[in-house]
Amino acid sequence: TWSPSELPMICSFRGAVPQGLVLELGETVQILEKCEGKCFSLLQGIFPANYIHLKKAIVSNRGQYETVVPLEDSVVTEVTATLQEWAVLWKQLYVVRHKVDLFYKLRHVMNELIDLRRQLLSGHLTQDQVREVKRHLTVRLDWGNEHLGLDLVPRKDFEVVDSDQISVSDLYKMVRNLWEIPLRPPHLHYRRPYGCAVLSIMDVLQSITEIKEEKDFVLKVYTCNNENEWCQIHENIIRKSSTKYTAPSSNYGLIISLQLLRGDMEQVRRENPMIFNRGVSVTRKLGFPDVIMPGDIRNDLYLTLEKGDFERGGKSVQKNIEVTMYVLYADGEILKDCISLGSGEPSRSAYHSFVLYHNNSPRWGEIIKLPIPIDRFRGSHLRFEFRHCSTKDKGEKKLFGFAFTPLMRDDGTTLSDDIHELYVYKCDENSTFNNHALYLGLPCCKEDYNGCPNIPSSLIFQRSTKESFSVSTQLSSTKLTQNVDLLALLKWKAYPDRVMDILGRLRHVSGEEIVKFLQDILDTLFVVLDDNTEKYGLLVFQSLVFIINLLRDSKYFHFRPVMDTYIQKHFAGALAYKELIRCLKWYMDRSAELVRQDHIQEAMRALEYLFKFIVQSRILYSRATCGMEEEQFRSSIQELFQSIRFVLSLDSRSSETLIFTQAALLNSFPAIFDELLQMFTVQEVAEFVRGTLGSMPSTVHIGQSMDVVKLQSIARTVDSRLFSFSESRRILLPVVLHHIHLHLRQQKELLICSGILSSIFSIIKTSSLEGDVVEEVEMMVESLLDVLLQTLLTIMSKSQSQEAVRGQRCPQCTGEYVSCLLSLLRQMSDTHFQHLLDNFQSKDELKEFLLKIFCVFRNLMKMSVFPRDWMVWNSYFSLAVLFINQPSLQLENATPAKRKKILDKYGDMRVMMAYELFSMWQNLGEHKIHFIPGMIGPFLGVTLVPQPEVRNIMIPIFHDMMDWEQRKNGNFKQVEAELIDKLDSLVSEGKGDENYRELFSLL
């Protein structure tokens, strides 16, 4: 039916369906009919209904020449039309008119128009804001029309007044008023507890099943039976302690609407602009996130009003106590707007607690955020004023005491994350706080009193020893710290005589504090280094090593990206590389003489990030000086690698400490390759690495544990990006093969060696498709062929006595070495085989080699290297057949709409699985014969699927079965008979059709 509405497109539709209407984002259509999720428009075409957004409109002059005017602000309509007009002309500026400068200017203006239009549509602007936005819109519209040579549009200013609309701030107030009940007289308001509603986030997550789904939740508001337990009402509701609260009537509660958005804040803002234009407030985590990235500045102090214990003061009943809190600066000025009572609420200059009726020991439990500017933190203090709120007479609030606490101690650290029991001082309404110095000299708590015992007894304010007041604080700051040692480091210039001690004490700072202030600490260390390299260089190096190794701890490992970001974007130590190289070399050169090598081992473990700092520092220096001192830098790196080779060449048989040092170096070594590639050519880095690996002693000289570490380092070298370059691989391959050869000769660490060889053969195979690998294959033939044969003979002979028991099964790594041997033989060309034969010095050597290789293959024929049990493969094929035939994937039985939705989102998964099945069949190679004729029936069942592509995939498999039986038996009668039998069965069961006869004829 005809609907007087205008519908703008919210997503482009290509119309690749019969009678599909091609529509672009932002175009407007009018609907004639709607049926099963499709709409039919005046433009004579169909499109999905969910591709459009409904807009109310007025239709005039109904019929062939009718007009539709949207019920929206005329400025919004004009902006929409203008942007559509500009879009075509904007592209022509670049493609046709070649006005690149105007092209980019207009793009910027168009983006501004889109953003301003979005603000206007949000409906959450005041009248003044609406007028201002419209003014900006018209200015930009006129500018664009003028520069594009279009006519200017005459306009009038509009004022939008909607008395029925309630602003966001009013809504907040209406909710808050549930907790504000006035006592006498009416003009004074006290916050009184009224009710509490609780919603389980788990229930929300289980209820909201789709991202961006918006859903309403009804919350019952419960009232507390005893005001003394008000601070625990939410916990009682959660625990279902129903005797402590009263359930409301069924028609009483709150309704809130929740929507789940996924992604980091920047992504969520970008993808949901309409939501964030409604004045949404962002609530940050109480505490720090798991990772604090450089540049994420925060300074929030969270204060919880805990409890108080006060005297009756001669009254027959207990008091109605209200606490008022202010933040005051050093000069006594009350800081404005530094108290936040809730996310989205405007900040205030004063906080008023709620009032419990006749209660001298109130428990509040309210959390307040204090977003105090960092430059105002030092010297500021909090003052808490206690008043009795009378319910008689004029309902006055009478001051009877106060408490206070500085935000910072004298040493510059902030309040600790703890409960603070503050002293309560007596005063009356006539007391003046104008001179805050009168009380700031007094102790605020017991710890403060212990620090200043000589307090005069005659003071204007006297402490009430029987009264107390407690608050707790939690600091979430990336600029302020509660650790004395860390603060001393960050403020090191204030203690010029203590810098050495301050750097030494960094190890005593907790890991949580270090990762929280990571950028500031690193900045400070490099500033200290620049200040006096000779004096502080080694201590700064040690501090840097300590921090790097801290991030190796699993607890802080996720901060490594923070360090990477710092090095790439925030690190500014252009001179640091010289000292870092010097200190690293100094440590390595002392390896032979020191008994305790803890510091050296820590430096070796930190090698990766030390090189990151070194390389980035050199890049900064080179950029600033246009490449000065390049030769000196290269020489220093060459000398550093000489020291690395020196450490690895030391005989560690008599020193367990030295073994640990060498192991730490070898573990870290492959991680520096990518850093070196930023500064040196592939060949240069390969030479560095070859020299280092070549300096390692042979297997016979070191223990087994060191063998493993050495081979693991070689394995990571082979798997590194450096080894993927043919020019570096030719340099590295000889030394890698040398160490592998040594281990195979001695039959040690065979499993690790086989893994390294498998990686090498895989890389060579891949590289052979792109370039020449003749030289590399020649190296492998010379180094490996003979030793591979000897290795296989040895492990086979060792296992012969156990073969009968094991069912003719070879040891664990036999298969790996057979694969390596076959890979090498496949890589060899005729030239390689000729060179191999030419290298034999005599016929006896040739005869020995041939006997060895014949013996290996004879043993392989006698023993089963690979498992005979094909049950796993059978299970795989059966599972694939079941997957393809499952009812939920038979798209032919689904409605057209559902079929299209599934195909658009997932594709035809039957076809994908058929390709996987075909690929697995091909991988069987000569072992296909084990599945003939057993898999004929299941595979034929796949062709039941009325999907031409699936059938086309399966036909070559049947042809392959015939081919393999022909090779084995000289005919394919068994496959033929099985096919005929299965086809007849399918037809007789009504599952097949005449297409199967056609299938058979094709085969």
Side-chain angles (χ1 to χ4, degrees), residues 418-471:
D418 204 348
I419 295 178
H420 310 279
E421 186 173 327
L422 305 179
Y423 287 168
V424 175
Y425 288 91
K426 293 181 178 179
C427 62
D428 54 36
E429 200 60 54
N430 297 321
S431 299
T432 175
F433 291 122
N434 291 337
N435 186 0
H436 61 283
L438 293 175
Y439 63 82
L440 283 182
L442 300 173
C444 67
C445 60
K446 183 178 180 180
E447 293 78 11
D448 197 18
Y449 178 84
N450 293 337
C452 49
N454 301 320
I455 302 170
S457 57
S458 57
L459 290 171
I460 187 171
F461 298 115
Q462 294 294 323
R463 181 191 163 205
S464 177
T465 56
K466 294 182 180 180
E467 296 183 300
S468 66
F469 172 69
S470 297
V471 297

Side-chain angles (χ1 to χ4, degrees), residues 25-28 78-89 110:
L25 182 67
E27 287 185 337
T28 302
E78 183 184 348
V79 171
T80 306
T82 303
L83 285 170
Q84 292 171 340
E85 183 180 13
W86 285 5
V88 178
L89 300 175
M110 290 169 73

Side-chain angles (χ1 to χ4, degrees), residues 506-732:
L506 180 63
R507 288 176 173 267
H508 301 288
V509 179
S510 69
E512 288 82 0
E513 286 290 290
I514 287 178
V515 296
K516 189 165 66 175
F517 294 91
L518 189 58
Q519 180 177 351
D520 289 330
I521 293 172
L522 292 171
D523 284 343
T524 301
L525 287 177
F526 289 110
V527 171
V528 171
L529 183 65
D530 285 346
D531 183 73
N532 193 328
T533 302
E534 185 176 346
K535 186 176 181 179
Y536 304 134
L538 198 57
L539 279 171
V540 169
F541 179 84
Q542 290 172 350
S543 300
L544 188 61
V545 167
F546 168 70
I547 293 171
I548 292 171
N549 283 322
L550 179 72
L551 300 189
R552 294 179 68 248
D553 190 315
S554 59
K555 186 177 180 181
Y556 306 110
F557 193 80
H558 52 285
F559 276 86
R560 286 167 65 95
V562 180
M563 180 75 98
D564 293 329
T565 302
Y566 173 81
I567 294 171
Q568 292 298 320
K569 297 183 179 180
H570 301 273
F571 173 55
L575 294 171
Y577 73 91
K578 298 179 181 180
E579 186 62 15
L580 294 181
I581 293 174
R582 188 191 71 80
C583 290
L584 190 55
K585 185 178 186 304
W586 183 79
Y587 267 124
M588 291 181 177
D589 291 343
R590 300 186 71 201
S591 298
E593 59 191 65
L594 292 179
V595 177
R596 287 183 57 85
Q597 299 194 5
D598 299 5
H599 286 67
I600 300 177
Q601 290 161 15
E602 287 181 1
M604 299 303 101
R605 295 186 190 101
L607 205 61
E608 176 186 359
Y609 274 90
L610 287 174
F611 265 85
K612 285 179 183 286
F613 277 109
I614 288 169
V615 169
Q616 185 64 17
S617 174
R618 175 58 200 175
I619 289 173
L620 294 173
Y621 184 85
S622 182
R623 192 180 296 159
T625 62
C626 297
M628 285 179 58
E629 302 184 24
E630 181 67 20
E631 285 305 316
Q632 292 93 318
F633 169 70
R634 287 176 167 268
S635 297
S636 65
I637 293 294
Q638 291 277 8
E639 292 170 3
L640 179 59
F641 268 90
Q642 289 176 5
S643 297
I644 292 175
R645 291 193 286 271
F646 167 73
V647 174
L648 293 177
S649 65
L650 293 172
D651 187 352
S652 59
R653 284 177 295 179
S654 59
S655 172
E656 187 177 281
T657 303
L658 185 54
I659 288 178
F660 287 133
T661 300
Q662 291 175 332
L665 175 55
L666 285 172
N667 277 326
S668 301
F669 182 64
I672 71 173
F673 299 166
D674 283 345
E675 307 310 317
L676 291 169
L677 286 171
Q678 294 188 63
M679 304 298 298
F680 299 92
T681 66
V682 170
Q683 292 91 335
E684 288 173 328
V685 177
E687 291 291 352
F688 286 147
V689 177
R690 178 173 68 174
T692 303
L693 297 180
S695 66
M696 294 189 296
S698 299
T699 305
V700 292
H701 297 307
I702 54 180
Q704 183 181 6
S705 60
M706 197 60 193
D707 281 352
V708 174
V709 173
K710 181 179 71 173
L711 288 171
Q712 287 173 341
S713 185
I714 290 174
R716 289 179 59 198
T717 300
V718 170
D719 291 335
S720 70
R721 186 167 67 99
L722 179 65
F723 204 78
S724 66
F725 301 110
S726 58
E727 54 265 50
S728 59
R729 194 166 55 247
R730 292 190 183 99
I731 297 170
L732 293 172

Side-chain angles (χ1 to χ4, degrees), residues 161-179:
V161 179
D162 188 353
S163 59
D164 294 330
Q165 186 175 2
I166 302 175
S167 69
V168 175
S169 61
D170 289 333
L171 286 172
Y172 276 117
K173 186 175 181 181
M174 287 165 62
V175 173
R176 189 189 67 230
N177 282 343
L178 292 172
W179 283 264

Side-chain angles (χ1 to χ4, degrees), residues 715-753:
R716 289 179 59 198
T717 300
V718 170
D719 291 335
S720 70
R721 186 167 67 99
L722 179 65
F723 204 78
S724 66
F725 301 110
S726 58
E727 54 265 50
S728 59
R729 194 166 55 247
R730 292 190 183 99
I731 297 170
L732 293 172
L733 198 55
V735 68
V736 170
L737 294 175
H738 168 72
H739 285 287
I740 297 295
H741 183 96
L742 287 174
H743 280 78
L744 295 185
R745 282 286 181 211
Q746 298 171 49
Q747 294 292 294
K748 290 186 176 180
E749 307 304 334
L750 294 181
L751 199 55
I752 300 178
C753 289

